[in-house]
Amino acid sequence: MNNLSHIQNFYFIGIGGIGMSALARFFKSQGKNVAGYDKTASVLTKELEAEGILVTFKDDISEIPQQFKDSEKTLVVYTPAVPKDNALYQYFVEEQFILKKRSEVLGLISSDRFTLAVAGTHGKTTTTAILGHLLKETHAPVTAFLGGVSEDIQSNLILKGDEVIVAEADEFDRSFLHLSPNIAAINSMDADHLDIYGVNEHLQASFKAFADLLSEDGTLFVKNGLPLKGKTIGIEDDADFSAINIKIIGGSYHFDLKTPTEIIEGFILNLPGRHNVLNAVTALAMALEYGSPTNQLSQALQSFKGIRRRFSYKIKTEELVLIDDYAHHPAEIDAVFGAVKELYPKRPNLVIFQPHLFSRTRDFADDFAEKLAQFDEIMLMDIYPAREKPIEGVDSEWLLKKIDNPKKQLVKRNELSAKIAKTKAKVILMLGAGDIGNEVETVKTALEDEI
């Protein structure tokens, strides 16, 4: 591990984050001492504790175990989402510990290994997880850092060797510029994170900078139509790698893969939505470029079960469907709606949406309103602030007024189950990147009692 092998202790501030927890698991697997802090307990922090990692939830330096107070032997990893007035962060800075962002540490781990990186404002988590799964199932010596929990392994870290790294390349805070990929993909560049970038042009420039990080003999895959040079990926189009002959059979996508040299037949993807077909094509193209055996990829793709909180079925019966999804950008909400209409065209639907960030709600309010209005019924929760302070005039009531659909209402957390129980909807979707995911099991239990 480049520049990290001599460090024995790793302390994480914000250890419950999806990217942070994957790193924590990685260092634990390397025999290192790992501990950390997070603001609130979650499914992920409970899993980390079960794996022997100490997690505390009080922002107090007395909570730091003694062995992690040795600045010579401890590296502190933090996420940009942690406020600078955090007492633990302040302590480590004042005591002159080495502090590194999560993205810097991932960059160090991958710098001396063959690296495949997936970037894009949407789809990167699913694509990374499919790619990691394909390499794992075709016996590559791979470590994969995922931005979501794979249902196959119930973890966000694949450990099958350490010669090859698969990483989700996150554009937030320009994190992905710490990577040195040999094979990379960019599958979308829609405006997002304008609280960081200011204007969309700066976001576009960061993706171009990421593309420039590729090694001289590296390969870049780009979604057909993006203003970047590379091998193109698409669906039923003239891209270098494209899904063709697509059919939906039993809720699964059956397709063939057109490459620059051949047509590979017989792929089956058990994820809903055409956007996931594009994600699968991206992962397949990258795996082929890496050198995965062509004849094993079809079976590997078919066995992929999906990602937690990415169109995750919590109830799936003839009478009722409950779906949990991380969608928090208008384009993602639109993709979820498209999948629902394709799978359940005649069933009435209800979306419960928790907006994520005041700035994102403000920047994309009209787009959010347009995409949410497509659903039969809409319930809006309060905005999840994450790292932000409130913005005057920006709240869920303001957003609700913009939605052109009479069947809309605000809903408080403690009213969720009761309000959902009164609906006639047969397909219920809970969407958002905040803590709405923590409410899904409560809603599921309440609905199952009604069935």
Side-chain angles (χ1 to χ4, degrees):
M1 274 187 296
N2 194 352
N3 298 332
L4 297 174
S5 54
H6 66 288
I7 296 168
Q8 195 53 40
N9 305 321
F10 290 82
Y11 192 87
F12 288 78
I13 306 177
I15 196 168
I18 194 71
M20 293 282 278
S21 56
L23 274 182
R25 283 170 156 154
F26 173 75
F27 287 119
K28 182 72 175 173
S29 78
Q30 300 281 314
K32 306 293 186 178
N33 302 315
V34 180
Y37 155 83
D38 211 288
K39 193 167 57 174
T40 52
S42 66
V43 173
L44 258 176
T45 58
K46 291 186 176 102
E47 289 172 354
L48 293 178
E49 290 176 294
E51 292 163 26
I53 294 172
L54 177 71
V55 182
T56 57
F57 303 97
K58 194 173 170 188
D59 182 20
D60 189 318
I61 61 173
S62 66
E63 299 280 300
I64 304 169
Q66 195 60 40
Q67 72 188 99
F68 293 90
K69 290 185 176 178
D70 183 344
S71 61
E72 296 291 314
K73 295 178 181 172
T74 302
L75 176 68
V76 179
V77 187
Y78 70 99
T79 166
V82 170
K84 294 295 181 280
D85 60 358
N86 175 275
L88 299 175
Y89 178 84
Q90 291 284 344
Y91 165 79
F92 287 121
V93 169
E94 286 163 10
E95 295 297 318
Q96 298 186 324
F97 278 70
I98 298 171
L99 287 90
K100 290 191 181 297
K101 289 183 186 177
R102 178 194 66 83
S103 54
E104 292 178 83
V105 177
L106 186 56
L108 286 171
I109 292 168
S110 61
S111 63
D112 55 357
R113 294 174 171 85
F114 193 91
T115 300
L116 297 89
V118 180
T121 40
H122 326 294
K124 59 182 173 288
T125 296
T126 301
T127 305
T128 307
I130 295 173
L131 177 59
H133 181 78
L134 293 177
L135 296 192
K136 169 175 74 79
E137 292 298 300
T138 54
H139 311 294
V142 62
T143 293
F145 296 91
L146 312 179
V149 175
S150 169
E151 298 282 14
D152 298 270
I153 56 172
Q154 291 301 311
S155 178
N156 52 354
L157 179 70
I158 294 172
L159 286 169
K160 284 293 176 184
D162 61 359
E163 292 174 33
V164 184
I165 298 288
V166 169
E168 178 168 327
D170 188 2
E171 75 279 1
F172 173 73
D173 200 36
R174 297 175 173 84
S175 292
F176 56 4
L177 299 184
H178 290 287
L179 296 170
S180 312
N182 302 89
I183 301 172
I186 299 175
N187 58 11
S188 54
M189 288 166 48
D190 293 332
D192 198 4
H193 301 303
L194 298 186
D195 55 320
I196 300 292
Y197 285 97
V199 293
N200 189 28
E201 286 74 17
H202 293 166
L203 174 68
Q204 306 287 312
S206 76
F207 276 107
K208 290 183 173 72
F210 171 73
D212 289 340
L213 293 174
L214 274 160
S215 55
E216 271 187 39
D217 59 347
T219 305
L220 177 66
F221 293 93
V222 297
K223 181 184 176 184
N224 206 5
L226 291 182
L228 294 168
K229 285 187 178 163
K231 294 185 180 181
T232 52
I233 49 176
I235 299 177
E236 293 180 326
D237 60 7
D238 62 353
D240 297 319
F241 291 80
S242 182
I244 60 172
N245 304 324
I246 299 173
K247 300 182 187 70
I248 300 174
I249 302 172
S252 299
Y253 286 96
H254 293 236
F255 65 93
D256 301 329
L257 181 67
K258 174 176 72 71
T259 79
T261 57
E262 62 181 327
I263 292 175
I264 309 170
E265 298 180 340
F267 287 101
I268 298 173
L269 177 69
N270 294 313
L271 301 186
R274 285 173 76 88
H275 60 292
N276 279 322
V277 177
L278 182 70
N279 294 334
V281 169
T282 308
L284 287 165
M286 294 178 78
L288 287 166
E289 182 70 19
Y290 165 72
S292 297
T294 306
N295 60 347
Q296 295 177 25
L297 286 173
S298 175
Q299 188 175 348
L301 181 65
Q302 188 174 352
S303 66
F304 181 70
K305 293 178 185 170
I307 313 238
R308 192 185 293 172
R309 299 218 64 227
R310 298 299 193 284
F311 214 93
S312 298
Y313 284 103
K314 307 311 267 183
I315 299 174
K316 189 180 183 184
T317 68
E318 286 300 314
E319 295 81 34
L320 187 65
V321 172
L322 174 63
I323 293 163
D324 177 29
D325 196 280
Y326 187 73
H328 59 287
H329 184 280
E332 294 164 351
I333 293 170
D334 196 40
V336 168
F337 177 77
V340 164
K341 292 309 287 183
E342 191 171 52
L343 290 165
Y344 306 106
K346 294 182 180 171
R347 294 202 203 179
N349 60 62
L350 159 69
V351 63
I352 303 106
F353 178 54
Q354 181 190 44
H356 184 265
L357 298 180
F358 295 100
S359 60
R360 184 183 283 122
T361 306
R362 175 199 63 202
D363 293 342
F364 301 107
D366 292 340
D367 288 339
F368 275 125
E370 180 191 339
K371 302 309 181 189
L372 289 167
Q374 299 175 103
F375 293 89
D376 297 328
E377 291 183 64
I378 305 105
M379 293 183 187
L380 276 190
M381 294 176 67
D382 286 338
I383 296 171
Y384 183 78
R387 56 189 178 269
E388 291 187 336
K389 299 281 190 292
I391 296 173
E392 189 176 347
V394 178
D395 57 22
S396 289
E397 188 171 359
W398 172 73
L399 177 58
L400 190 79
K401 286 174 183 170
K402 289 177 172 287
I403 298 172
D404 185 13
N405 185 323
K407 292 188 173 180
K408 60 181 182 179
Q409 60 178 305
L410 298 177
V411 61
K412 297 289 183 194
R413 187 182 301 274
N414 60 357
E415 305 170 335
L416 266 175
S417 295
K419 289 255 176 111
I420 292 169
K422 291 179 182 173
T423 181
K424 299 277 195 296
K426 300 299 180 190
V427 179
I428 298 167
L429 301 108
M430 298 181 69
L431 309 184
D435 58 3
I436 185 172
N438 297 341
E439 303 301 318
V440 173
E441 289 303 320
T442 306
V443 170
K444 176 186 173 184
T445 302
L447 288 171
E448 284 175 334
D449 289 343
E450 295 287 323
I451 294 174

